[in-house]
Amino acid sequence: MTKLIADIKIPDSKLAAEAAELVREHTDDLLWNHSNRVFLFAAMRGNQNQMKYDAELLYISSLFHDLGLTPRFRSEDKRFEVDGANAARDFLRSRGVPEESIRLVWDAVALHTTIGIVEYKETEVALMNFGVGLDVVGKNFELISADARQKIVQAFPRNQFKQNILHAFLEGFKHKPETTYGTINADICDVLLPGYQRPNFCHHVLHSKWDE
C-alpha cells in the first residue's frame, strides 16, 4: 500500500524497501525517525520548487546519512559521514545500481554536514542537506508549513530530539574525535567530550615542519 505523509509518497520499490529494512535493523527510533523526517522535508522542498529529483535515491540517501554513527557501520578512523556513504555504496553496488547513481548517493551522505558546499551540489544532494538542516537546527523552518511539519512529526515523532541527538552524534565518534577536525562535529566534542582539546588550524600552520 502506498504511504503518503503530508502529500509526500514514501518510495516503496524493492530497492527502497530493502534499504529501509537494513537501516531500521541497525538504528534506534531516534535516528530512524530523524532520517525519515529528513527525506520528507527534502522531498517537500523539492516539490515546492518544482525541482526534478529521483525520490528513490533521495530516500535512500536520507536513510543512510547517519548510519555511520551506529556500531555496525562505524569505523575506527573515518568521518562518520564517510562510513555512512560507504555503507550506502556497498548496499547499492550489491544490488547492481548504476555507478552514477551510487556516486550521487555517496556524495549526499558524505557531504551532508559540509555547509557552504553541499547546497551547490546535485539536486538530491542539496535537497537532503536542506532536510538535515531543517530537522537538526531548524534552518529554513518557515519554508515548510506548520501543518506539514505537524503531519511529518506525527508520523515520525521527535521525542526530545534536541536533547538526544547530540549524544547520539558523540557516541558515533567519541572513539575517534580527530576525525571531526575542521567540521561542525568538533563543536560536539568540544562541549560533550571530557578532556577534548580542539585542534587549531593556525597552530598547525605556524608549527609546520617548514623551516622559515
Side-chain angles (χ1 to χ4, degrees):
M1 181 180 296
T2 299
K3 188 172 185 179
L4 283 174
I5 298 171
D7 295 324
I8 301 297
K9 178 187 175 183
I10 301 291
D12 57 0
S13 65
K14 183 176 185 292
L15 184 68
E18 289 178 351
E21 182 180 5
L22 184 151
V23 173
R24 190 65 183 108
E25 178 184 354
H26 294 286
T27 56
D28 57 13
D29 288 346
L30 179 77
L31 293 181
W32 172 253
N33 288 348
H34 165 56
S35 297
N36 278 275
R37 292 194 305 268
V38 164
F39 165 72
L40 291 165
F41 289 136
M44 186 166 292
R45 184 59 177 165
N47 291 353
Q48 285 177 342
N49 288 348
Q50 298 182 325
M51 302 167 76
K52 184 179 179 180
Y53 64 92
D54 188 312
E56 182 181 63
L57 295 182
L58 180 60
Y59 180 61
I60 292 171
S61 299
S62 300
L63 290 181
F64 275 83
H65 86 277
D66 277 343
L67 197 62
L69 296 170
T70 65
R72 170 65 180 82
F73 293 97
R74 67 173 70 123
S75 70
E76 293 299 316
D77 60 352
K78 298 180 184 64
R79 284 178 54 168
F80 89 87
E81 301 96 327
V82 172
D83 289 335
N86 288 346
R89 181 177 60 195
D90 291 345
F91 167 80
L92 293 172
R93 278 184 177 165
S94 72
R95 285 151 178 82
V97 173
E99 285 296 320
E100 182 177 355
S101 296
I102 294 173
R103 178 192 56 78
L104 190 71
V105 172
W106 196 96
D107 282 357
V109 177
L111 296 175
H112 79 267
T113 62
T114 310
I115 299 167
I117 293 177
V118 64
E119 54 264 47
Y120 300 105
K121 292 284 289 180
E122 294 89 346
T123 302
E124 292 84 359
V125 181
L127 282 175
M128 199 192 76
N129 173 256
F130 173 91
V132 170
L134 197 156
D135 200 53
V136 176
V137 298
K139 184 178 180 181
N140 296 311
F141 190 76
E142 69 286 350
L143 296 181
I144 303 297
S145 71
D147 178 65
R149 293 195 306 266
Q150 181 180 11
K151 289 176 179 176
I152 290 171
V153 171
Q154 184 176 6
F156 296 101
R158 289 180 65 84
N159 293 333
Q160 303 300 309
F161 179 79
K162 289 196 292 187
Q163 288 71 29
N164 295 324
I165 191 60
L166 293 178
H167 295 281
F169 287 146
L170 182 66
E171 191 64 28
F173 49 70
K174 66 182 182 181
H175 63 295
K176 51 178 180 180
E178 68 280 358
T179 65
T180 69
Y181 173 60
T183 78
I184 58 176
N185 298 314
D187 294 341
I188 297 170
C189 294
D190 196 35
V191 172
L192 298 177
L193 187 61
Y196 175 74
Q197 291 187 323
R198 187 172 189 150
N200 186 287
F201 177 67
C202 294
H203 175 86
H204 290 320
V205 171
L206 295 173
H207 294 84
S208 73
K209 294 181 180 180
W210 287 105
D211 185 16
E212 57 183 69

